[in-house]
Amino acid sequence: MRIFVAGATGYVGSAIVGELLQAGHQVIGLARSDAAVATLTKAGVAVHRGDLGDLGSLRAGAAEADGVIFAANKHLSETTDSAARAQAELNAVEAIGSELEKTGRPFVVTSGVIGRTSGRLLTEETPAVPNALTGLRLPVETSVLAMGERGVRASSVRLAPTVHGQGDTRGLVSMLIGVARSAGVSAYVGDGSNRWSSVHRRDAATLFRLAVESAPPGTPVHAVAEEGVPFRDIAEVIGRRLELPAVSLAAEEASRHFGPLAPLVPIDSPTSSALTRERFGWLPTHPGLIADIEEGHYFD
């Protein structure tokens, strides 16, 4: 297949590109800068110039492909307004969808699992209900999944909150390490028993390939290798590696300590990928979150 990838030079997107190329697919990568062009060219990827604000360019990229993977987001350098970023991403996927309509071609969008439920196991069949954490971004996934009714083989790969692995410099694990270094302690809230699901970057990339190759229209896909890692375990391994104490914080202390991460840290968000594994034969093979942090590459 010839696959158009938006976000092809990102942390997850670059892993997707490598997975697609290894499987024998051709890749067209969206590039918004000369640096992105150079990166894609070096990787043997065809370059399509444009960005998420250039809807005509997105439609043109989709038109020349057999399928599309959307692993991009509106760059923070362009706007820090969360609502504006979410609207820009919605406009982008709808433009791509308009090009794919009635073609039966696949369109895979990236979403997430954290915050969809509180303390209850999230499955692929749990209804998507907007809330304070998911409300802005959920319309992107909802729009794409609904394209199945318009002749698009649309699916959504929902990523675990911790997509870990080599090269993670801006994800949640890296941010937590930065907070611990700055504060001099690695913290959790309460007893730290709340759970975050996780997936290795390369296992997630495999699932994107499987989705673009075979996901039926309207399918939610859970890129979750570990159903729920207790947050205290994450804080403790970070503390060990940094030689800092792992400490419990009261809920009212979380905002001061974690800053923008404070709403996410105490969330209990266990997530199942049982249906995904059954449907696609997906078997994660890379290290789990705690083992990956223990390897040390996050601290180089």
Side-chain angles (χ1 to χ4, degrees):
M1 296 172 64
R2 187 170 168 85
I3 302 169
F4 177 44
V5 179
T9 59
Y11 171 63
V12 174
S14 59
I16 294 169
V17 168
E19 173 72 20
L20 293 172
L21 292 174
Q22 188 173 19
H25 297 293
Q26 296 178 310
V27 179
I28 309 165
L30 182 69
R32 64 186 294 272
S33 67
D34 291 342
V37 170
T39 297
L40 293 174
T41 301
K42 183 178 180 181
V45 173
V47 173
H48 183 86
R49 289 301 295 250
D51 58 47
L52 298 194
D54 185 349
L55 303 186
S57 175
L58 294 176
R59 285 191 290 266
E64 61 178 313
D66 301 314
V68 178
I69 294 176
F70 189 89
N73 51 59
K74 189 70 172 174
H75 205 274
L76 281 171
S77 64
E78 298 174 83
T79 178
T80 56
D81 183 330
S82 298
R85 293 176 68 212
Q87 185 61 51
E89 291 163 23
L90 180 60
N91 294 342
V93 298
E94 290 183 342
I96 292 169
S98 69
E99 187 62 43
L100 299 178
E101 204 167 309
K102 298 179 181 178
T103 66
R105 285 180 282 171
F107 183 14
V108 182
V109 71
T110 307
S111 188
V113 300
I114 194 167
R116 288 179 183 252
T117 58
S118 179
R120 294 182 293 109
L121 184 68
L122 177 73
T123 77
E124 294 87 340
E125 295 180 335
T126 304
V129 179
N131 57 44
L133 281 172
T134 66
L136 284 178
R137 299 295 303 278
L138 192 56
V140 173
E141 176 187 83
T142 302
S143 174
V144 173
L145 291 180
M147 292 173 190
E149 300 173 2
R150 293 161 30 209
V152 181
R153 186 159 62 77
S155 61
S156 173
V157 174
R158 297 171 174 172
L159 293 169
T162 51
V163 183
H164 56 92
Q166 291 276 359
D168 176 12
T169 59
R170 295 190 295 178
L172 288 178
V173 173
S174 292
M175 294 172 73
L176 290 171
I177 290 169
V179 169
R181 278 183 165 138
S182 177
V185 296
S186 184
Y188 51 91
V189 176
D191 65 3
S193 63
N194 61 296
R195 296 154 292 177
W196 279 14
S197 59
S198 73
V199 67
H200 193 281
R201 168 179 178 248
R202 292 176 63 185
D203 286 321
T206 299
L207 197 47
F208 275 94
R209 174 181 61 78
L210 292 170
V212 79
E213 288 174 345
S214 63
T219 303
V221 179
H222 281 189
V224 171
E226 294 176 289
E227 188 173 284
V229 180
F231 194 90
R232 179 171 180 164
D233 292 357
I234 301 171
E236 287 178 341
V237 70
I238 290 172
R240 284 198 301 274
R241 294 296 311 192
L242 292 177
E243 298 183 348
L244 295 173
V247 301
S248 170
L249 299 179
E252 57 269 21
E253 299 176 284
S255 180
R256 176 184 55 81
H257 181 87
F258 289 107
L261 292 179
L264 298 177
V265 168
I267 287 177
D268 186 31
S269 191
T271 305
S272 170
S273 60
L275 289 175
T276 294
R277 295 175 192 235
E278 180 183 335
R279 287 167 176 162
F280 298 98
W282 180 61
L283 182 63
T285 59
H286 291 86
L289 175 60
I290 300 303
D292 196 27
I293 296 174
E294 286 278 23
E295 284 185 5
H297 58 85
Y298 274 99
F299 307 92
D300 292 341

